[in-house]
Amino acid sequence: MNSARRPLISGNWKMHHHHLEALHCVEKLAFRLSKEDYARVDVSVHPPFTDMRTVQTFILAEKNVGLLLGAQHCHAADKGAFTGEVSVSMLAKLDVRYVIAGHSERRQFFGETDAGVNEKTKAILKAAMTPIVCVGETLEEREADQAVARVSTQLAAGLAGLKADAVGSLVVAYEPIWAIGTGRTATADDAQAMCSAIRSMVTAEFGPEAGLRVRIQYGGSAKAANASELLSQSDVDGLLVGGASLDADEFAKIVQAARF
Ligand code: PGA
């Protein structure tokens, strides 16, 4: 981390926790986290859509809880005949602050494309929320020394047409696909090398201020045991946590690892 940027720890619950479990989880999290944690770290939780109103109501009711609500996905259009989808304006109305765009599971299982990620990123920004734009290479690409090229293509396409100021305000999550849900974390050096490469790409394309401001998360089997080491890297500004965010005790420890 670098003191110029505020750390962001995000819990991506994926398709876990129904709304009662969600309430239990945020209650426990609220008990574990303090004002000092929220003062130093931005903490977002990204529950399934069916839980969002419950989590929002809890956050609104508890004045000392600084949790920020996040979404895992959205549709770029404001409204329309898109069965099963949820629009950015619906999310904004629920006080959602962060929306994940282009998670590798969405790309892999639901056919999301780089162009679609770009469209969503623009829509999220237009609705005054912060996109978390996900990029990451497969194991084959890494082994063929294609990791930087793959991430660079995804990043260029995902951020195409954005203004430098908007790019500086958003979040990029580097999530090597081979590390997601596999228990196989990238080493802190690997994470730093790619996060630094991403910052250089942003600087080259959008200028030094955007490069300095953009926050870059690492994701892929992040947990309490490896959080401090990952976060000690100068270009790793936070973590996008899947499995380990489902347990409030574990997730709170990860948040607290970002407090130094
Ligand atoms: P994981 O997932 O922490 O379970 O590996 C990370 C993610 O997909 O965001």
Side-chain angles (χ1 to χ4, degrees):
M1 294 189 308
N2 173 313
S3 57
R5 296 177 291 274
R6 216 176 132 76
L8 170 64
I9 304 294
S10 304
N12 173 14
W13 293 0
K14 308 190 180 182
M15 200 169 71
H16 295 284
H17 287 342
H18 58 59
H19 76 286
L20 298 174
E21 292 165 339
L23 184 59
H24 187 66
C25 185
V26 287
E27 274 171 355
K28 216 165 150 193
L29 201 51
F31 187 72
R32 293 276 178 266
L33 296 177
S34 66
K35 264 195 202 149
E36 288 71 42
D37 297 317
Y38 302 122
R40 295 200 208 162
V41 184
D42 287 340
V43 187
S44 64
V45 288
H46 300 242
F49 288 137
T50 51
D51 302 351
M52 293 190 106
R53 177 67 170 151
T54 305
V55 174
Q56 181 213 17
T57 307
F58 174 79
I59 293 172
L60 286 178
E62 303 286 321
K63 299 221 161 18
N64 294 325
V65 174
L67 290 173
L68 303 167
L69 188 56
Q72 301 175 16
H73 161 66
C74 66
H75 193 285
D78 225 32
K79 58 174 88 161
F82 300 106
T83 302
E85 289 295 297
V86 171
S87 76
V88 282
S89 54
M90 291 168 184
L91 296 176
K93 200 80 185 155
L94 276 172
D95 301 330
V96 165
R97 298 279 296 277
Y98 293 94
V99 186
I100 298 171
H103 189 280
S104 64
E105 287 152 16
R106 302 284 326 167
R107 294 177 191 259
Q108 188 181 345
F109 303 124
F110 303 98
E112 282 196 12
T113 61
D114 284 340
V117 174
N118 182 241
E119 217 186 318
K120 273 179 210 200
T121 301
K122 287 176 177 160
I124 296 163
L125 285 163
K126 197 164 161 226
M129 298 182 291
T130 302
I132 299 180
V133 181
C134 298
V135 295
E137 81 285 358
T138 62
L139 187 58
E140 297 72 56
E141 286 161 344
R142 171 153 288 258
E143 283 171 349
D145 229 1
Q146 291 298 310
V148 172
R150 177 76 187 113
V151 166
S152 156
T153 306
Q154 288 176 328
L155 196 68
L159 305 184
L162 294 182
K163 296 221 159 65
D165 193 44
V167 174
S169 76
L170 57 71
V171 180
V172 175
Y174 168 54
E175 298 209 302
I177 294 171
W178 47 271
I180 296 177
T182 58
R184 186 173 166 191
T185 320
T187 64
D189 286 347
D190 286 343
Q192 167 59 21
M194 188 63 88
C195 291
S196 159
I198 290 170
R199 197 174 304 288
S200 302
M201 293 170 207
V202 169
T203 302
E205 190 63 31
F206 298 96
E209 201 185 323
L212 187 68
R213 283 177 58 219
V214 67
R215 289 188 292 176
I216 306 174
Q217 293 178 312
Y218 165 79
S221 300
K223 46 185 183 277
N226 57 28
S228 297
E229 204 194 345
L230 289 162
L231 291 165
S232 69
Q233 305 301 312
S234 59
D235 288 296
V236 177
D237 305 314
L239 299 169
L240 180 52
V241 186
S245 71
L246 296 172
D247 180 278
D249 288 331
E250 175 82 6
F251 189 60
K253 284 187 198 144
I254 299 173
V255 170
Q256 281 152 357
R259 270 183 51 171
F260 54 77

